[in-house]
Amino acid sequence: MTIAIVGGTGPQGSGIGLRLALAGEEVILGSRDADKARAEADRLTAEHSPEGRLSGTGNAEAAERAETVILAVPYRGHDELVTALAPVLAGKLVISCVNPLSFDKLGPVGAEIPDKSAAEEAARILTASTVAGAFHHLSAVTLHWVDHDLSHEDVLVCGDDTAAKAEVMRLAGKVTGGRAIDVGALRLARHLEPFTAVLISVNKRYKTNASVSLTGIRKE
Amino acid sequence: MTIAIVGGTGPQGSGIGLRLALAGEEVILGSRDADKARAEADRLTAEHSPEGRLSGTGNAEAAERAETVILAVPYRGHDELVTALAPVLAGKLVISCVNPLSFDKLGPVGAEIPDKSAAEEAARILTASTVAGAFHHLSAVTLHWVDHDLSHEDVLVCGDDTAAKAEVMRLAGKVTGGRAIDVGALRLARHLEPFTAVLISVNKRYKTNASVSLTGIRKE
């Protein structure tokens, strides 16, 4: 099974792709600039020699060649990009980790968007795909510190398709080595996405790379 | 110093009040029905013999007699209640743990409200008070299990007044025995409050009482 990362040269996308490849998955980084994606895949491969093959190409070709597609793009231009990719995403599992945020002198805050969350926006557009939300709270910094244990961080997964969520949770385990939590309906993405603004604010105050763990759920 | 809990006979309000009294703070539970507040305070006192005095009275009198006031009411009627209490809250620290939520067949979800969060709504009305947000994610159930250790749960605190937040964080330590985290500006309450919908959804799926811990911040 091949996983494409649309926006795979951004820090979060490349970090998730790298962790998946290290865990043995075949990963294609996508970018608007196919050469940039190839260079990033080559760089990560040379540096980390992942067990899974890591390659790079344009966003559309990456999505076309994969069974599962992770959207890891900035929110700006999200609607247009997802609309353009809709034909190649048809029939596939699409995992959104897009965080629509605004920044001003008070710091980060969730952006108000028409569909309330990027994941719901993608689901509205991608009527022939199955959309889930996940990976919003993983730090791009610590994803790239490949020796940094992420297994104490919980990946919160939302979606309306149970089988799709099971696959997302499997991949989440590959990324962090820890657990994923099925938080419920896709629309809860509207609360997961802007919680990233809270984490970024905490990062600045505490000079760290914070993420989330839920208490009260037994570790397996 | 005396702490009033407006809405102190609800499960969350009485649980926070009980934990504060057990930690030695003087607490007044407020309710629309003063007799009900007295009965709840008497019941908790008889059952737990807290070190701090725990009493009950009407919401306005409770707020009047305290230096710090915790708002622990349901969101319905919040605007009117806060407006009515504004004179007795003037000059005081007001901590909102109000969670505006909706429930339908898909489960819980954050309610869309004009001021974006209950804490911001309170701050708009209470121009002579200092408003902070905290305690949104503590489970009313486990607050009442007084032998249940809450010290691994983080109280996320938001506000625009640094001295006020320091006092909120001190009280949070009394409630949980653990740490509080200053997440930043008051407006981040719009992300903290609806995250409770995520926790309630998780509670139903995992049959638990989930709360939040942030990773990446050194435990003291």
Side-chain angles (χ1 to χ4, degrees), chain B residues 1-114:
Chain B
M1 226 200 53
T2 302
I3 302 148
I5 319 265
V6 170
T9 56
Q12 193 190 18
S14 63
I16 292 170
L18 172 59
R19 292 276 184 163
L20 286 170
L22 287 167
E25 302 287 328
E26 175 156 349
V27 176
I28 310 176
L29 302 181
S31 171
R32 280 175 299 183
D33 180 343
D35 288 335
K36 194 177 162 194
R38 272 180 217 110
E40 177 70 358
D42 289 350
R43 186 185 72 77
L44 292 172
T45 299
E47 191 170 342
H48 300 290
S49 304
E51 188 190 329
R53 186 162 172 267
L54 188 61
S55 62
T57 186
N59 277 326
E61 190 186 332
E64 180 137 38
R65 285 167 47 199
E67 285 81 40
T68 296
V69 179
I70 297 176
L71 299 178
V73 292
Y75 180 69
R76 180 189 285 265
H78 178 264
D79 190 315
E80 296 77 5
L81 177 71
V82 173
T83 301
L85 293 178
V88 294
L89 294 174
K92 298 180 178 176
L93 169 58
V94 175
I95 307 169
S96 173
C97 52
V98 177
N99 288 317
L101 302 178
S102 299
F103 295 84
D104 62 21
K105 65 183 194 319
L106 284 176
V109 70
E112 288 176 69
I113 65 173

Side-chain angles (χ1 to χ4, degrees), chain A residues 172-183:
Chain A
K174 299 278 183 177
V175 171
T176 66
R179 70 183 179 179
I181 294 174
D182 175 2
V183 305

Side-chain angles (χ1 to χ4, degrees), chain A residues 54-74:
Chain A
L54 186 61
S55 62
T57 186
N59 278 325
E61 191 187 331
E64 179 138 37
R65 286 168 44 200
E67 285 79 41
T68 296
V69 179
I70 297 176
L71 299 178
V73 291

Side-chain angles (χ1 to χ4, degrees), chain B residues 121-156:
Chain B
E121 184 177 305
R124 174 179 55 77
I125 297 167
L126 301 173
T127 52
S129 308
T130 304
V131 176
F135 302 122
H136 305 92
H137 306 136
L138 297 177
S139 153
V141 174
T142 58
L143 281 167
H144 280 274
W145 294 344
V146 296
D147 295 330
H148 185 86
D149 178 23
L150 300 178
S151 68
H152 58 302
E153 302 187 5
D154 289 329
V155 175
L156 307 185

Side-chain angles (χ1 to χ4, degrees), chain A residues 55-93:
Chain A
S55 62
T57 186
N59 278 325
E61 191 187 331
E64 179 138 37
R65 286 168 44 200
E67 285 79 41
T68 296
V69 179
I70 297 176
L71 299 178
V73 291
Y75 180 68
R76 178 189 286 265
H78 177 264
D79 189 315
E80 296 76 4
L81 177 70
V82 172
T83 302
L85 294 177
V88 293
L89 294 174
K92 297 180 179 178
L93 170 57

Side-chain angles (χ1 to χ4, degrees), chain A residues 104 116 183 187 201 208 216, chain B residues 104 112 182-183 187 201 208 216:
Chain A
D104 61 22
K116 300 177 187 169
V183 305
R187 68 177 182 182
S201 179
T208 187
Chain B
D104 62 21
E112 288 176 69
D182 175 1
V183 306
R187 69 177 182 183
S201 179
T208 188

